[in-house]
Amino acid sequence: MAEGGKTSVSNYDLDGNSFRNTMHSLNYGNVMEAAARNYMKEVKAEEAAAANVGPIQYDLEDLEDDPELHQLHKERIQQMKEEQEKRREMQRKGHGEYRDIDEGEFLPEVTGSFQVCVHFYHQEFERCRIVDKHMAILAKKYFDTKFIKVHAPDCPFFVTKLNVKVLPCIVFFRNGVAYDRIVGFEELGAKDDFPTSRLENMLLTAGIIAVPEKGEDDSEDEEE
């Protein structure tokens, strides 16, 4: 175009600069876009590699030859054997059941286990039979404590020695030493139909039994 007889190049220059600027911007954008794509590819590759690693894999033969693992396994096996033998020994001593003993067996029974719960009873007393029912339930649940009973009229020496005057009477022994007792039904609510849990809670409080580990059966609690 002509203006005042001169040829104008301003529009041409502007158009040319604009073109170059546009191309430069496009090229810069393409470079950045490509760089961004490459970066994302690397990140995804690293993530995929990490995801594919998973837990560390061990060769079984290497594990078998590992002295530390072998020692741990050996110690665990030994521990399990000792625990099983301990339980068998306690079973031989009468743990896990509620048994009737005589006066001649009394001393070996109460000194042969760490914790022993002894019911002094009279065979003609109804409340003694009620205690028997609950003691039989608890004996199965609390294996670590021995539960036994002795007929008071046939055990005069220990009845006198332990000052047992009211029946039923439950005496707690630890390491062969009597340290606490439950006398009659007053502490059990003074009712014949008390639940097993009431006696159980008293034994827990006295420390003659301990809360069993998870997985052991609950006591067959009687409803009031």
Side-chain angles (χ1 to χ4, degrees), residues 66-84:
D66 188 324
E68 292 185 4
L69 185 62
H70 181 70
Q71 181 62 28
L72 288 174
H73 180 68
K74 182 179 179 181
E75 290 175 358
R76 178 55 182 156
I77 293 297
Q78 182 61 31
Q79 181 184 4
M80 292 174 64
K81 288 181 178 179
E82 291 175 356
E83 290 174 354
Q84 291 174 353

Side-chain angles (χ1 to χ4, degrees), residues 187-224:
E187 297 176 83
L188 294 167
K191 295 180 179 180
D192 291 357
D193 59 349
F194 66 87
T196 301
S197 60
R198 182 160 297 176
L199 175 58
E200 181 178 19
N201 289 334
M202 293 190 67
L203 299 187
L204 285 168
T205 300
I208 191 64
I209 59 176
V211 177
E213 296 180 0
K214 291 182 180 180
E216 296 186 20
D217 295 335
D218 294 332
S219 63
E220 298 175 14
D221 200 9
E222 302 293 327
E223 298 295 334
E224 289 186 295

Side-chain angles (χ1 to χ4, degrees), residues 20 25-26 29 35 47 66 71 85 102 111 186 192-193:
R20 286 192 297 271
S25 297
L26 289 173
E47 291 178 349
D66 188 324
Q71 181 62 28
E85 180 55 35
D102 58 38
T111 59
E186 291 303 314
D192 291 357
D193 59 349

Side-chain angles (χ1 to χ4, degrees), residues 10-75:
S10 60
N11 290 337
Y12 176 83
D13 291 339
L14 290 174
D15 290 343
N17 290 335
S18 176
F19 177 77
R20 286 192 297 271
N21 291 337
T22 299
M23 291 302 297
H24 178 73
S25 297
L26 289 173
N27 290 335
Y28 180 75
N30 289 338
V31 171
M32 291 303 296
E33 184 179 354
R37 284 198 301 269
N38 291 336
Y39 173 75
M40 292 304 298
K41 286 181 181 179
E42 291 180 5
V43 170
K44 290 181 179 179
E46 291 177 0
E47 291 178 349
N52 290 332
V53 170
I56 298 175
Q57 302 296 320
Y58 296 98
D59 190 295
L60 289 180
E61 293 183 359
D62 292 340
L63 290 179
E64 291 176 356
D65 294 335
D66 188 324
E68 292 185 4
L69 185 62
H70 181 70
Q71 181 62 28
L72 288 174
H73 180 68
K74 182 179 179 181
E75 290 175 358

Side-chain angles (χ1 to χ4, degrees), residues 85-154:
E85 180 55 35
K86 178 182 177 182
R87 187 174 182 86
R88 284 194 292 267
E89 178 62 23
M90 293 175 75
Q91 284 180 325
R92 286 193 288 268
K93 291 180 178 180
H95 288 250
E97 58 180 329
Y98 181 50
R99 297 176 298 113
D100 199 344
I101 64 168
D102 58 38
E103 188 172 56
E105 299 171 304
F106 187 88
L107 199 56
E109 289 285 354
V110 298
T111 59
S113 296
F114 177 58
Q115 298 204 130
V116 185
C117 194
V118 184
H119 173 209
F120 286 86
Y121 75 99
H122 193 292
Q123 61 186 5
E124 295 181 3
F125 291 3
E126 176 61 26
R127 285 193 164 182
C128 289
R129 287 192 284 270
I130 293 172
V131 169
D132 283 342
K133 177 184 67 174
H134 298 301
M135 292 277 278
I137 292 171
L138 296 175
K140 295 178 181 178
K141 181 175 181 179
Y142 296 95
F143 182 83
D144 288 343
T145 298
K146 182 190 292 183
F147 288 78
I148 56 178
K149 63 178 180 176
V150 59
H151 192 229
D154 297 333

Side-chain angles (χ1 to χ4, degrees), residues 103 106-107 120 152-163:
E103 188 172 56
F106 187 88
L107 199 56
F120 286 86
D154 297 333
C155 192
F157 176 81
F158 291 104
V159 165
T160 301
K161 188 74 173 178
L162 295 168
N163 197 29

